[in-house]
Amino acid sequence: MGKLVIVGTVAFDAIETPFGKTDKILGGAATFIGLAASQFQVDSAIVSVVGEDFPQEYLDLLSKRNIDISSLEVVKGGKTFFWKGKYHNDLNSRDTLATELNVLADFNPVVPSGYKNAEVVMLGNLHPNIQMSVIDQMEKRPKLIVLDTMNFWMDNALGELMEVIKRIDVLTINDEEARQLTGEYSLVKAAQKIFKMGPKYVVIKKGEHGALLFHEEQVFFAPALPLEDVFDPTGAGDTFAGGFTGYLAASDNISFDNLKKAVIHGSNLASFSVEKFGTERMLDLDRDDINSRLHQFKALTQFEIELQ
């Protein structure tokens, strides 16, 4: 069983979409990553922080999925990171209504001793200095370091972000972020520029239009499964990252061909997460659901053709 270190937020979200809204519910990048990765035979640990207001039932929920939470710090008297957002009708754009850093403002990550030799590290969306701190705590260089980031850090901590990017293997960002980071509209050119920054692989997420995997001169495209109902896209990208890294940690194979499979597994799990609010759909998933949808992905892209 491979080891996976997951760094990111464990949080409260309040979400409004055209289909309804919630009060504070379980959210956060590390939460979605961990729940997705738990679908594979992987030994994972979450490195994060919450306040004393974080319910024990949520901690138990993570532990029951064999996620090590010994480095999920609970700050006495502190309040958990909170994000509130409202999605527009197309669900591709949203307005942030509130962001309360709370205990996250002073977070110093501590990698558990039993995971300092992990084969795979998933650096979820956080300040680049926190991401760098985790890399520095590893006893030896992991086989694969994956980093997710966003335009906020490009705007406010670009220098620190570029230093972290030098030390990773895979960068996962969306198409808008790839264009901002590189100044290139063409995603092919953007990927080539990112290679020069350090990573060997680039995953560019395009939401409902799938995801692209780049490595040297090779390109792989994974479609997004057409869904009848998309309820809440919050956490879809993190679920993708959890499926991607969970599969790779479990299979212990970081070849390009296996990364292609990881992209499919990530896309498959992300297609579930959007079907209900927050983590709800990820909590009632079973192996039959997952395998059935993998067959749908295969049917969506498989064809035979006679070349003239």
Side-chain angles (χ1 to χ4, degrees):
M1 186 180 293
K3 288 184 179 179
L4 169 66
V5 171
I6 300 164
V7 187
T9 54
V10 175
F12 292 132
D13 289 340
I15 301 159
E16 183 175 350
T17 78
F19 310 106
K21 62 181 180 180
T22 71
D23 293 323
K24 285 186 177 181
I25 58 173
L26 177 62
T31 305
F32 284 101
I33 294 167
L35 291 175
S38 71
Q39 296 295 336
F40 304 92
Q41 293 298 311
V42 62
D43 183 4
S44 63
I46 284 179
V47 179
S48 191
V49 62
V50 294
E52 198 172 11
D53 58 345
F54 196 74
Q56 183 63 42
E57 65 179 285
Y58 287 168
L59 296 171
D60 295 341
L61 179 154
L62 295 170
S63 295
K64 286 176 182 175
R65 283 161 177 77
N66 296 316
I67 301 169
D68 187 306
I69 60 168
S70 60
S71 284
L72 176 52
E73 180 186 0
V74 181
V75 178
K76 289 187 177 181
K79 293 179 67 177
T80 301
F81 175 74
F82 171 63
W83 177 82
K84 182 177 183 179
K86 180 178 181 178
Y87 287 88
H88 297 206
N89 285 334
D90 63 359
L91 295 178
N92 289 322
S93 56
R94 69 187 185 191
D95 297 322
T96 294
L97 305 179
T99 302
E100 299 173 9
L101 291 178
N102 297 326
V103 294
L104 192 64
D106 300 311
F107 175 45
N108 291 309
V110 178
V111 177
S113 57
Y115 290 84
K116 290 186 176 181
N117 62 348
E119 294 87 356
V120 180
V121 173
M122 178 65 227
L123 301 172
N125 177 31
L126 276 175
H127 194 290
N129 288 344
I130 295 176
Q131 296 171 325
M132 183 72 86
S133 172
V134 170
I135 296 174
D136 288 340
Q137 291 178 54
M138 304 304 291
E139 290 176 353
K140 61 178 181 178
R141 196 191 188 287
K143 289 183 179 179
L144 200 73
I145 303 175
V146 184
L147 181 142
D148 187 31
T149 192
M150 65 182 298
N151 46 19
F152 179 83
W153 304 119
M154 296 174 198
D155 292 335
N156 296 283
L158 182 60
E160 295 95 326
L161 177 61
M162 295 303 291
E163 288 301 311
V164 181
I165 288 176
K166 288 179 184 177
R167 298 182 60 183
I168 65 168
D169 301 295
V170 185
L171 178 65
T172 70
I173 51 179
N174 68 30
D175 46 358
E176 176 192 0
E177 292 157 352
R179 289 173 173 132
Q180 178 175 340
L181 183 63
T182 63
E184 295 285 353
Y185 185 81
S186 162
L187 297 180
V188 176
K189 289 182 178 178
Q192 294 298 329
K193 273 198 174 180
I194 293 169
F195 291 148
K196 294 176 182 177
M197 299 173 187
K200 302 180 186 73
Y201 304 91
V202 179
V203 177
I204 299 180
K205 299 170 288 187
K206 293 168 60 64
E208 63 182 327
H209 303 296
L212 289 156
L213 169 67
F214 295 90
H215 174 59
E216 296 177 345
E217 300 301 318
Q218 298 173 293
V219 184
F220 174 71
F221 174 70
L225 194 70
L227 299 171
E228 288 186 24
D229 298 306
V230 177
F231 212 73
D232 171 22
T234 309
D238 297 314
T239 301
F240 172 92
F244 180 80
T245 53
Y247 173 78
L248 290 171
S251 59
D252 194 27
N253 177 350
I254 56 172
S255 66
F256 182 72
D257 281 344
N258 206 48
L259 262 74
K260 292 195 291 187
K261 295 176 184 176
V263 169
I264 293 295
H265 280 286
S267 299
N268 187 48
L269 289 172
S271 75
F272 288 106
S273 72
V274 302
E275 292 182 333
K276 293 184 179 180
F277 275 119
T279 60
E280 185 179 353
R281 185 66 178 99
M282 299 305 295
L283 296 176
D284 62 16
L285 264 184
D286 61 35
R287 180 48 54 181
D288 288 341
D289 291 333
I290 294 169
N291 288 340
S292 175
R293 193 160 287 184
L294 279 172
H295 284 295
Q296 292 181 52
F297 264 99
K298 186 175 181 180
L300 189 66
T301 57
Q302 191 175 40
F303 63 90
E304 294 181 8
I305 190 169
E306 292 185 11
L307 298 177
Q308 300 299 319

